[in-house]
């Protein structure tokens, strides 16, 4: 993996998006843990029903997916993605900054609904820039670089909430967290404005299809079914984020301190495991690496359902981090490979995968808790994961057989 680091440091077209992703992680991590607290408790959105607040978050996700898909398709027609990254960074500066400055419920709603999800679309554009460059490299090298950059993103995410929590521990308001996110967006803007001239693709491919023709490629059965399978696997990680705090504080009789400590430690442990999975992709097929990682995560969910004491949760930390690292990092390469000739369009599938996966996690949680308790819901997640792995391996096996000459 040291070679991946050296490639990132040497190549400006990889280094600038990678460093920008590290800065971008602070916009997510500065605000996501505190968004509901700020919106509902501090800015008076408690007057709205829980359903209305949920609708706000849902439509925000719709804007994020729409922006990512639209700009992903558009970016493939441009010589470079730099202007788009700059524009989305400005959206982040305005969205996060206005919440920090004005402390207004109306500003919070507009920013959360439009400007913040637009800023979040920077994630897929930056990975599209990386893919445009790594398309010119060996497949194993490219996968290693992607995994390393994703690990750096996770490391930044792991650091930010604790640092910001310590900074604001005596503050009467948590809205300065949005000011920190605005500064992070400003950092993204400066990195691309000053250090990334000419940091785009080698040029748009000739005879690029139109917007609708590009969009149709996503809904081709061979692509869409694989996106759904990836979303099922991603949904396992989202389901765990819902279940783990509840199992810790109920079935395992732990405390909220355990919740925070386990979340932070898991995020740190994910980094070396992401690099490990990146190295594995140099020698093995991406689908087999992903299947193994997902199977480990299913084993973790199964054992999580039996947890009855805090030490049981701590004993599962390595399984949790190892499986989650595969589910969070390996699908980036897999999804990009589905539309390998269009880096922007292929990478925009990440946002679609996240959106569908979050919905699947909510459905699994609702079903599991309706027929059992939180521990039983973990069993439901494990079963769904094993079924998804089986479908994934079947699809890839059928595709390989179809490619073999008669």
């Amino acid at each position: 993996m040291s070679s991946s680091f050296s490639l990132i440091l040497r190549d400006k077209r990889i280094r600038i998006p990678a460093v920008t992703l590290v800065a971008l992680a602070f916009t997510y991590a500065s605000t996501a843990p505190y968004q509901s607290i700020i919106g509902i408790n501090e800015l008076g959105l408690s007057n709205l029903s829980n359903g209305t607040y949920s609708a706000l978050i849902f439509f925000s996700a719709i804007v994020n997916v729409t922006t990512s898909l639209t700009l992903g398709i558009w970016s493939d027609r441009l010589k470079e993605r730099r202007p788009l990254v700059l524009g989305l960074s400005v959206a982040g500066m305005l969205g996060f900054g206005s919440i920090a400055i004005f402390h207004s419920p109306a500003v919070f709603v507009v920013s959360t609904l439009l400007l913040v999800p637009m800023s979040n679309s920077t994630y897929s554009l930056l990975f599209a820039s990386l893919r445009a460059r790594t398309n010119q490299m060996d497949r194993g090298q490219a996968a290693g670089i992607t995994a390393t950059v994703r690990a750096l993103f996770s490391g930044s995410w792991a650091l930010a909430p604790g640092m910001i929590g310590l900074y604001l521990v005596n503050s009467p308001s948590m809205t300065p967290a949005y000011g920190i996110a605005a500064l992070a967006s400003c950092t993204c803007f400066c990195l691309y404005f000053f250090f990334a001239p000419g940091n785009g693709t080698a040029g748009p491919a000739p005879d690029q299809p139109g917007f609708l023709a590009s969009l149709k490629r996503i809904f081709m059965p061979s692509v869409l079914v694989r996106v759904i399978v990836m979303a099922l696997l991603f949904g396992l990680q989202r389901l765990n984020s819902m279940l783990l705090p509840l199992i810790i504080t109920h079935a395992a009789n732990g405390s909220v301190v355990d919740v925070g400590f386990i979340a932070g430690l898991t995020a740190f442990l994910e980094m070396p495991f992401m690099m490990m999975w990146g190295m594995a992709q140099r020698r093995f097929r991406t689908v087999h690496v992903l299947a193994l990682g997902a199977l480990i995560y299913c084993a973790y969910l199964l054992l999580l359902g039996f947890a009855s004491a805090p030490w049981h949760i701590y004993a599962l930390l390595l399984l949790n981090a190892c499986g989650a690292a595969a589910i969070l990092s390996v699908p980036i390469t897999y999804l990009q490979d589905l539309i390998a000739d269009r880096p922007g369009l292929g990478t925009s599938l990440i946002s679609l995968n996240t959106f569908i996966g979050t919905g699947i996690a909510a459905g699994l949680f609702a079903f599991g808790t309706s027929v059992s308790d939180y521990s039983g819901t973990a069993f439901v997640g494990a079963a769904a994961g094993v079924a998804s792995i089986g479908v994934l391996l079947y699809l890839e096996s059928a595709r390989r057989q179809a490619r073999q000459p008669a």
Side-chain angles (χ1 to χ4, degrees), residues 327-384:
I327 287 174
L328 292 174
S329 63
V330 179
I332 295 174
T333 300
Y334 181 88
L335 292 168
Q336 289 175 326
D337 286 343
L338 294 179
I339 312 178
D341 60 315
R342 303 287 301 279
L345 180 61
T347 307
S348 69
L349 296 178
I350 298 172
S351 295
L352 183 61
N353 171 71
T354 301
F355 177 73
I356 298 174
T358 302
I360 288 172
L364 288 173
F365 183 84
F367 172 75
T369 53
S370 69
V371 299
S372 182
D373 56 10
Y374 300 132
S375 298
T377 304
F379 298 147
V380 171

Tab-separated table of all heavy atoms in Angstrom, residues 327-384:
chain	number	residue	atom	x	y	z
A	327	ILE	N	-17.418	-2.991	2.883
A	327	ILE	CA	-18.698	-2.509	2.369
A	327	ILE	C	-18.622	-1.031	1.974
A	327	ILE	O	-19.299	-0.587	1.038
A	327	ILE	CB	-19.796	-2.746	3.421
A	327	ILE	CG1	-20.129	-4.247	3.486
A	327	ILE	CG2	-21.049	-1.942	3.126
A	327	ILE	CD1	-21.093	-4.616	4.585
A	328	LEU	N	-17.797	-0.253	2.668
A	328	LEU	CA	-17.705	1.180	2.399
A	328	LEU	C	-16.712	1.530	1.287
A	328	LEU	O	-16.870	2.552	0.626
A	328	LEU	CB	-17.315	1.923	3.676
A	328	LEU	CG	-18.359	1.931	4.794
A	328	LEU	CD1	-17.785	2.562	6.058
A	328	LEU	CD2	-19.620	2.667	4.352
A	329	SER	N	-15.687	0.709	1.079
A	329	SER	CA	-14.640	1.087	0.125
A	329	SER	C	-14.664	0.295	-1.177
A	329	SER	O	-14.561	0.873	-2.261
A	329	SER	CB	-13.260	0.954	0.777
A	329	SER	OG	-12.986	-0.394	1.128
A	330	VAL	N	-14.829	-1.021	-1.107
A	330	VAL	CA	-14.741	-1.842	-2.317
A	330	VAL	C	-15.847	-1.529	-3.327
A	330	VAL	O	-15.593	-1.509	-4.537
A	330	VAL	CB	-14.741	-3.345	-1.955
A	330	VAL	CG1	-14.666	-4.205	-3.210
A	330	VAL	CG2	-13.558	-3.663	-1.029
A	331	PRO	N	-17.114	-1.263	-2.899
A	331	PRO	CA	-18.148	-0.958	-3.892
A	331	PRO	C	-17.860	0.273	-4.748
A	331	PRO	O	-18.444	0.403	-5.825
A	331	PRO	CB	-19.400	-0.733	-3.027
A	331	PRO	CG	-19.172	-1.591	-1.837
A	331	PRO	CD	-17.697	-1.451	-1.560
A	332	ILE	N	-16.997	1.177	-4.307
A	332	ILE	CA	-16.666	2.340	-5.138
A	332	ILE	C	-16.098	1.863	-6.469
A	332	ILE	O	-16.543	2.271	-7.543
A	332	ILE	CB	-15.669	3.266	-4.413
A	332	ILE	CG1	-16.306	3.873	-3.164
A	332	ILE	CG2	-15.195	4.380	-5.348
A	332	ILE	CD1	-15.344	4.687	-2.317
A	333	THR	N	-15.106	0.985	-6.410
A	333	THR	CA	-14.510	0.450	-7.629
A	333	THR	C	-15.520	-0.385	-8.410
A	333	THR	O	-15.609	-0.284	-9.642
A	333	THR	CB	-13.278	-0.413	-7.291
A	333	THR	OG1	-12.317	0.400	-6.611
A	333	THR	CG2	-12.643	-0.990	-8.549
A	334	TYR	N	-16.287	-1.210	-7.712
A	334	TYR	CA	-17.269	-2.081	-8.378
A	334	TYR	C	-18.294	-1.244	-9.150
A	334	TYR	O	-18.597	-1.535	-10.317
A	334	TYR	CB	-17.965	-2.959	-7.349
A	334	TYR	CG	-18.971	-3.915	-7.944
A	334	TYR	CD1	-18.577	-5.171	-8.381
A	334	TYR	CD2	-20.313	-3.554	-8.069
A	334	TYR	CE1	-19.502	-6.055	-8.932
A	334	TYR	CE2	-21.241	-4.432	-8.622
A	334	TYR	CZ	-20.828	-5.676	-9.050
A	334	TYR	OH	-21.741	-6.536	-9.609
A	335	LEU	N	-18.837	-0.213	-8.525
A	335	LEU	CA	-19.842	0.632	-9.180
A	335	LEU	C	-19.244	1.407	-10.342
A	335	LEU	O	-19.868	1.551	-11.399
A	335	LEU	CB	-20.469	1.585	-8.157
A	335	LEU	CG	-21.350	0.931	-7.087
A	335	LEU	CD1	-21.664	1.912	-5.972
A	335	LEU	CD2	-22.644	0.398	-7.700
A	336	GLN	N	-18.038	1.922	-10.174
A	336	GLN	CA	-17.384	2.630	-11.271
A	336	GLN	C	-17.145	1.710	-12.459
A	336	GLN	O	-17.244	2.132	-13.616
A	336	GLN	CB	-16.060	3.236	-10.796
A	336	GLN	CG	-16.229	4.410	-9.849
A	336	GLN	CD	-14.903	4.900	-9.300
A	336	GLN	OE1	-13.983	4.117	-9.074
A	336	GLN	NE2	-14.795	6.194	-9.058
A	337	ASP	N	-16.842	0.444	-12.187
A	337	ASP	CA	-16.594	-0.517	-13.261
A	337	ASP	C	-17.849	-0.836	-14.064
A	337	ASP	O	-17.757	-1.312	-15.203
A	337	ASP	CB	-16.019	-1.821	-12.693
A	337	ASP	CG	-14.564	-1.687	-12.276
A	337	ASP	OD1	-13.907	-0.723	-12.709
A	337	ASP	OD2	-14.090	-2.543	-11.506
A	338	LEU	N	-19.024	-0.594	-13.489
A	338	LEU	CA	-20.266	-0.880	-14.206
A	338	LEU	C	-20.414	0.003	-15.436
A	338	LEU	O	-21.016	-0.408	-16.437
A	338	LEU	CB	-21.480	-0.691	-13.285
A	338	LEU	CG	-21.608	-1.670	-12.110
A	338	LEU	CD1	-22.845	-1.335	-11.281
A	338	LEU	CD2	-21.664	-3.108	-12.596
A	339	ILE	N	-19.900	1.231	-15.352
A	339	ILE	CA	-19.902	2.140	-16.511
A	339	ILE	C	-18.487	2.714	-16.599
A	339	ILE	O	-18.255	3.909	-16.355
A	339	ILE	CB	-20.958	3.262	-16.371
A	339	ILE	CG1	-22.320	2.671	-15.961
A	339	ILE	CG2	-21.116	4.026	-17.687
A	339	ILE	CD1	-23.421	3.697	-15.761
A	340	ALA	N	-17.539	1.847	-16.916
A	340	ALA	CA	-16.121	2.199	-16.800
A	340	ALA	C	-15.698	3.297	-17.771
A	340	ALA	O	-14.756	4.051	-17.484
A	340	ALA	CB	-15.266	0.953	-17.031
A	341	ASP	N	-16.372	3.427	-18.907
A	341	ASP	CA	-15.965	4.419	-19.906
A	341	ASP	C	-16.470	5.817	-19.592
A	341	ASP	O	-16.116	6.773	-20.268
A	341	ASP	CB	-16.464	4.009	-21.294
A	341	ASP	CG	-17.988	3.889	-21.347
A	341	ASP	OD1	-18.562	3.299	-20.414
A	341	ASP	OD2	-18.598	4.384	-22.312
A	342	ARG	N	-17.294	5.957	-18.548
A	342	ARG	CA	-17.848	7.259	-18.171
A	342	ARG	C	-17.582	7.480	-16.682
A	342	ARG	O	-18.418	7.142	-15.838
A	342	ARG	CB	-19.356	7.302	-18.446
A	342	ARG	CG	-19.762	7.002	-19.887
A	342	ARG	CD	-19.435	8.145	-20.821
A	342	ARG	NE	-20.095	9.353	-20.404
A	342	ARG	CZ	-21.380	9.638	-20.666
A	342	ARG	NH1	-22.117	8.773	-21.332
A	342	ARG	NH2	-21.907	10.778	-20.267
A	343	PRO	N	-16.424	8.045	-16.314
A	343	PRO	CA	-16.073	8.187	-14.889
A	343	PRO	C	-17.106	8.949	-14.074
A	343	PRO	O	-17.422	8.566	-12.942
A	343	PRO	CB	-14.733	8.937	-14.930
A	343	PRO	CG	-14.166	8.633	-16.278
A	343	PRO	CD	-15.341	8.518	-17.199
A	344	GLY	N	-17.646	10.020	-14.633
A	344	GLY	CA	-18.625	10.815	-13.894
A	344	GLY	C	-19.921	10.069	-13.674
A	344	GLY	O	-20.459	10.033	-12.569
A	345	LEU	N	-20.441	9.452	-14.738
A	345	LEU	CA	-21.686	8.710	-14.633
A	345	LEU	C	-21.516	7.490	-13.732
A	345	LEU	O	-22.361	7.213	-12.876
A	345	LEU	CB	-22.143	8.274	-16.035
A	345	LEU	CG	-23.452	7.484	-16.119
A	345	LEU	CD1	-24.613	8.306	-15.584
A	345	LEU	CD2	-23.727	7.065	-17.564
A	346	GLY	N	-20.407	6.762	-13.919
A	346	GLY	CA	-20.162	5.583	-13.097
A	346	GLY	C	-20.032	5.919	-11.628
A	346	GLY	O	-20.573	5.214	-10.758
A	347	THR	N	-19.353	7.016	-11.319
A	347	THR	CA	-19.154	7.391	-9.918
A	347	THR	C	-20.433	7.939	-9.297
A	347	THR	O	-20.641	7.808	-8.087
A	347	THR	CB	-18.024	8.428	-9.811
A	347	THR	OG1	-16.860	7.923	-10.462
A	347	THR	CG2	-17.673	8.725	-8.362
A	348	SER	N	-21.303	8.524	-10.109
A	348	SER	CA	-22.570	9.030	-9.563
A	348	SER	C	-23.441	7.893	-9.034
A	348	SER	O	-24.360	8.130	-8.243
A	348	SER	CB	-23.332	9.818	-10.631
A	348	SER	OG	-23.808	8.967	-11.664
A	349	LEU	N	-23.147	6.657	-9.449
A	349	LEU	CA	-23.881	5.511	-8.912
A	349	LEU	C	-23.658	5.369	-7.410
A	349	LEU	O	-24.468	4.748	-6.714
A	349	LEU	CB	-23.449	4.225	-9.617
A	349	LEU	CG	-23.750	4.124	-11.122
A	349	LEU	CD1	-23.209	2.816	-11.670
A	349	LEU	CD2	-25.243	4.248	-11.389
A	350	ILE	N	-22.563	5.930	-6.888
A	350	ILE	CA	-22.298	5.869	-5.452
A	350	ILE	C	-23.411	6.575	-4.680
A	350	ILE	O	-23.913	6.066	-3.665
A	350	ILE	CB	-20.928	6.502	-5.118
A	350	ILE	CG1	-19.800	5.718	-5.799
A	350	ILE	CG2	-20.706	6.548	-3.613
A	350	ILE	CD1	-18.444	6.387	-5.687
A	351	SER	N	-23.826	7.743	-5.163
A	351	SER	CA	-24.900	8.482	-4.493
A	351	SER	C	-26.216	7.731	-4.593
A	351	SER	O	-26.989	7.671	-3.625
A	351	SER	CB	-25.045	9.875	-5.115
A	351	SER	OG	-23.890	10.647	-4.885
A	352	LEU	N	-26.488	7.142	-5.765
A	352	LEU	CA	-27.711	6.353	-5.929
A	352	LEU	C	-27.683	5.145	-4.999
A	352	LEU	O	-28.693	4.803	-4.374
A	352	LEU	CB	-27.834	5.910	-7.384
A	352	LEU	CG	-29.101	5.134	-7.769
A	352	LEU	CD1	-30.337	5.981	-7.522
A	352	LEU	CD2	-29.033	4.688	-9.225
A	353	ASN	N	-26.524	4.509	-4.894
A	353	ASN	CA	-26.353	3.363	-4.010
A	353	ASN	C	-26.607	3.754	-2.549
A	353	ASN	O	-27.286	3.029	-1.808
A	353	ASN	CB	-24.924	2.830	-4.183
A	353	ASN	CG	-24.558	1.774	-3.168
A	353	ASN	OD1	-25.047	0.663	-3.214
A	353	ASN	ND2	-23.678	2.134	-2.245
A	354	THR	N	-26.089	4.910	-2.151
A	354	THR	CA	-26.286	5.382	-0.777
A	354	THR	C	-27.757	5.651	-0.488
A	354	THR	O	-28.284	5.271	0.567
A	354	THR	CB	-25.460	6.657	-0.534
A	354	THR	OG1	-24.077	6.375	-0.770
A	354	THR	CG2	-25.641	7.167	0.885
A	355	PHE	N	-28.422	6.281	-1.438
A	355	PHE	CA	-29.834	6.617	-1.266
A	355	PHE	C	-30.688	5.357	-1.129
A	355	PHE	O	-31.494	5.229	-0.199
A	355	PHE	CB	-30.311	7.456	-2.455
A	355	PHE	CG	-31.777	7.797	-2.412
A	355	PHE	CD1	-32.253	8.731	-1.516
A	355	PHE	CD2	-32.670	7.173	-3.268
A	355	PHE	CE1	-33.604	9.048	-1.468
A	355	PHE	CE2	-34.012	7.474	-3.232
A	355	PHE	CZ	-34.484	8.420	-2.334
A	356	ILE	N	-30.502	4.414	-2.056
A	356	ILE	CA	-31.293	3.181	-2.012
A	356	ILE	C	-30.942	2.374	-0.760
A	356	ILE	O	-31.819	1.813	-0.093
A	356	ILE	CB	-31.057	2.341	-3.285
A	356	ILE	CG1	-31.514	3.107	-4.522
A	356	ILE	CG2	-31.797	1.009	-3.194
A	356	ILE	CD1	-31.176	2.418	-5.832
A	357	GLY	N	-29.643	2.315	-0.429
A	357	GLY	CA	-29.202	1.545	0.730
A	357	GLY	C	-29.781	2.071	2.024
A	357	GLY	O	-30.153	1.284	2.915
A	358	THR	N	-29.873	3.390	2.152
A	358	THR	CA	-30.463	3.972	3.362
A	358	THR	C	-31.936	3.603	3.479
A	358	THR	O	-32.431	3.291	4.567
A	358	THR	CB	-30.290	5.500	3.347
A	358	THR	OG1	-28.892	5.819	3.251
A	358	THR	CG2	-30.856	6.134	4.603
A	359	GLY	N	-32.634	3.614	2.341
A	359	GLY	CA	-34.036	3.209	2.348
A	359	GLY	C	-34.202	1.739	2.701
A	359	GLY	O	-35.118	1.363	3.453
A	360	ILE	N	-33.318	0.889	2.177
A	360	ILE	CA	-33.368	-0.540	2.497
A	360	ILE	C	-33.114	-0.764	3.988
A	360	ILE	O	-33.785	-1.580	4.635
A	360	ILE	CB	-32.343	-1.310	1.643
A	360	ILE	CG1	-32.819	-1.363	0.185
A	360	ILE	CG2	-32.118	-2.719	2.184
A	360	ILE	CD1	-31.795	-1.919	-0.776
A	361	ALA	N	-32.149	-0.028	4.543
A	361	ALA	CA	-31.859	-0.155	5.974
A	361	ALA	C	-33.078	0.216	6.813
A	361	ALA	O	-33.406	-0.468	7.800
A	361	ALA	CB	-30.677	0.730	6.347
A	362	ALA	N	-33.759	1.287	6.419
A	362	ALA	CA	-34.966	1.689	7.149
A	362	ALA	C	-36.036	0.602	7.061
A	362	ALA	O	-36.726	0.312	8.049
A	362	ALA	CB	-35.493	3.012	6.586
A	363	GLY	N	-36.162	-0.017	5.872
A	363	GLY	CA	-37.141	-1.084	5.704
A	363	GLY	C	-36.808	-2.309	6.533
A	363	GLY	O	-37.693	-2.908	7.157
A	364	LEU	N	-35.525	-2.695	6.554
A	364	LEU	CA	-35.107	-3.843	7.357
A	364	LEU	C	-35.329	-3.573	8.850
A	364	LEU	O	-35.759	-4.463	9.600
A	364	LEU	CB	-33.628	-4.158	7.101
A	364	LEU	CG	-33.283	-4.786	5.746
A	364	LEU	CD1	-31.769	-4.870	5.571
A	364	LEU	CD2	-33.907	-6.178	5.622
A	365	PHE	N	-35.035	-2.328	9.264
A	365	PHE	CA	-35.231	-1.968	10.671
A	365	PHE	C	-36.714	-2.043	11.035
A	365	PHE	O	-37.082	-2.580	12.086
A	365	PHE	CB	-34.691	-0.568	10.926
A	365	PHE	CG	-34.778	-0.123	12.361
A	365	PHE	CD1	-33.793	-0.480	13.271
A	365	PHE	CD2	-35.834	0.656	12.798
A	365	PHE	CE1	-33.872	-0.089	14.599
A	365	PHE	CE2	-35.924	1.060	14.118
A	365	PHE	CZ	-34.938	0.689	15.024
A	366	ALA	N	-37.571	-1.502	10.160
A	366	ALA	CA	-39.008	-1.513	10.430
A	366	ALA	C	-39.534	-2.947	10.472
A	366	ALA	O	-40.313	-3.309	11.366
A	366	ALA	CB	-39.745	-0.705	9.359
A	367	PHE	N	-39.097	-3.784	9.522
A	367	PHE	CA	-39.555	-5.173	9.494
A	367	PHE	C	-39.035	-5.943	10.708
A	367	PHE	O	-39.795	-6.651	11.390
A	367	PHE	CB	-39.095	-5.859	8.209
A	367	PHE	CG	-39.364	-7.341	8.180
A	367	PHE	CD1	-40.648	-7.817	7.970
A	367	PHE	CD2	-38.331	-8.251	8.382
A	367	PHE	CE1	-40.899	-9.181	7.961
A	367	PHE	CE2	-38.576	-9.618	8.380
A	367	PHE	CZ	-39.870	-10.080	8.166
A	368	GLY	N	-37.746	-5.801	10.977
A	368	GLY	CA	-37.139	-6.546	12.080
A	368	GLY	C	-37.752	-6.208	13.419
A	368	GLY	O	-38.048	-7.105	14.231
A	369	THR	N	-37.976	-4.926	13.673
A	369	THR	CA	-38.526	-4.519	14.976
A	369	THR	C	-40.018	-4.832	15.081
A	369	THR	O	-40.569	-4.839	16.185
A	369	THR	CB	-38.296	-3.016	15.215
A	369	THR	OG1	-38.795	-2.264	14.088
A	369	THR	CG2	-36.822	-2.718	15.401
A	370	SER	N	-40.675	-5.077	13.947
A	370	SER	CA	-42.097	-5.443	13.998
A	370	SER	C	-42.297	-6.915	14.335
A	370	SER	O	-43.353	-7.298	14.850
A	370	SER	CB	-42.783	-5.125	12.662
A	370	SER	OG	-42.320	-5.980	11.628
A	371	VAL	N	-41.290	-7.746	14.029
A	371	VAL	CA	-41.421	-9.183	14.296
A	371	VAL	C	-40.535	-9.649	15.450
A	371	VAL	O	-40.681	-10.781	15.930
A	371	VAL	CB	-41.077	-10.010	13.032
A	371	VAL	CG1	-42.023	-9.673	11.893
A	371	VAL	CG2	-39.628	-9.805	12.595
A	372	SER	N	-39.601	-8.775	15.900
A	372	SER	CA	-38.690	-9.175	16.966
A	372	SER	C	-38.199	-7.931	17.689
A	372	SER	O	-38.734	-6.839	17.511
A	372	SER	CB	-37.517	-9.969	16.358
A	372	SER	OG	-36.633	-10.410	17.376
A	373	ASP	N	-37.142	-8.080	18.492
A	373	ASP	CA	-36.535	-6.941	19.176
A	373	ASP	C	-35.311	-6.480	18.388
A	373	ASP	O	-35.083	-6.910	17.253
A	373	ASP	CB	-36.175	-7.313	20.614
A	373	ASP	CG	-35.262	-8.541	20.673
A	373	ASP	OD1	-34.757	-8.991	19.613
A	373	ASP	OD2	-35.048	-9.069	21.786
A	374	TYR	N	-34.502	-5.585	19.000
A	374	TYR	CA	-33.325	-5.066	18.297
A	374	TYR	C	-32.325	-6.174	17.972
A	374	TYR	O	-31.739	-6.204	16.885
A	374	TYR	CB	-32.653	-3.977	19.135
A	374	TYR	CG	-33.544	-2.792	19.419
A	374	TYR	CD1	-33.656	-2.273	20.722
A	374	TYR	CD2	-34.281	-2.194	18.409
A	374	TYR	CE1	-34.482	-1.190	20.986
A	374	TYR	CE2	-35.102	-1.106	18.663
A	374	TYR	CZ	-35.203	-0.611	19.959
A	374	TYR	OH	-36.014	0.458	20.209
A	375	SER	N	-32.130	-7.093	18.884
A	375	SER	CA	-31.197	-8.195	18.636
A	375	SER	C	-31.694	-9.076	17.504
A	375	SER	O	-30.918	-9.510	16.636
A	375	SER	CB	-31.020	-9.028	19.913
A	375	SER	OG	-30.453	-8.251	20.958
A	376	GLY	N	-32.994	-9.331	17.472
A	376	GLY	CA	-33.566	-10.123	16.395
A	376	GLY	C	-33.436	-9.434	15.053
A	376	GLY	O	-33.271	-10.082	14.007
A	377	THR	N	-33.496	-8.098	15.053
A	377	THR	CA	-33.336	-7.338	13.813
A	377	THR	C	-31.925	-7.501	13.255
A	377	THR	O	-31.728	-7.477	12.039
A	377	THR	CB	-33.654	-5.852	14.066
A	377	THR	OG1	-34.968	-5.736	14.619
A	377	THR	CG2	-33.582	-5.047	12.783
A	378	ALA	N	-30.946	-7.663	14.135
A	378	ALA	CA	-29.584	-7.933	13.669
A	378	ALA	C	-29.532	-9.266	12.922
A	378	ALA	O	-28.838	-9.401	11.901
A	378	ALA	CB	-28.610	-7.950	14.849
A	379	PHE	N	-30.272	-10.265	13.406
A	379	PHE	CA	-30.357	-11.549	12.699
A	379	PHE	C	-30.992	-11.365	11.319
A	379	PHE	O	-30.554	-11.971	10.334
A	379	PHE	CB	-31.178	-12.560	13.507
A	379	PHE	CG	-30.594	-12.912	14.847
A	379	PHE	CD1	-31.418	-13.207	15.922
A	379	PHE	CD2	-29.218	-12.954	15.039
A	379	PHE	CE1	-30.893	-13.537	17.160
A	379	PHE	CE2	-28.680	-13.286	16.279
A	379	PHE	CZ	-29.506	-13.569	17.338
A	380	VAL	N	-32.025	-10.536	11.248
A	380	VAL	CA	-32.679	-10.255	9.967
A	380	VAL	C	-31.675	-9.626	8.993
A	380	VAL	O	-31.609	-10.002	7.811
A	380	VAL	CB	-33.889	-9.313	10.161
A	380	VAL	CG1	-34.438	-8.838	8.820
A	380	VAL	CG2	-34.985	-10.014	10.954
A	381	GLY	N	-30.878	-8.678	9.486
A	381	GLY	CA	-29.859	-8.048	8.645
A	381	GLY	C	-28.829	-9.041	8.144
A	381	GLY	O	-28.435	-9.010	6.977
A	382	ALA	N	-28.400	-9.945	9.029
A	382	ALA	CA	-27.414	-10.950	8.633
A	382	ALA	C	-27.974	-11.855	7.543
A	382	ALA	O	-27.287	-12.180	6.564
A	382	ALA	CB	-26.989	-11.766	9.847
A	383	ALA	N	-29.232	-12.275	7.690
A	383	ALA	CA	-29.862	-13.137	6.687
A	383	ALA	C	-29.991	-12.413	5.344
A	383	ALA	O	-29.715	-12.992	4.286
A	383	ALA	CB	-31.235	-13.598	7.180
A	384	ALA	N	-30.406	-11.143	5.384
A	384	ALA	CA	-30.523	-10.362	4.149
A	384	ALA	C	-29.160	-10.203	3.481
A	384	ALA	O	-29.044	-10.243	2.248
A	384	ALA	CB	-31.129	-8.991	4.451
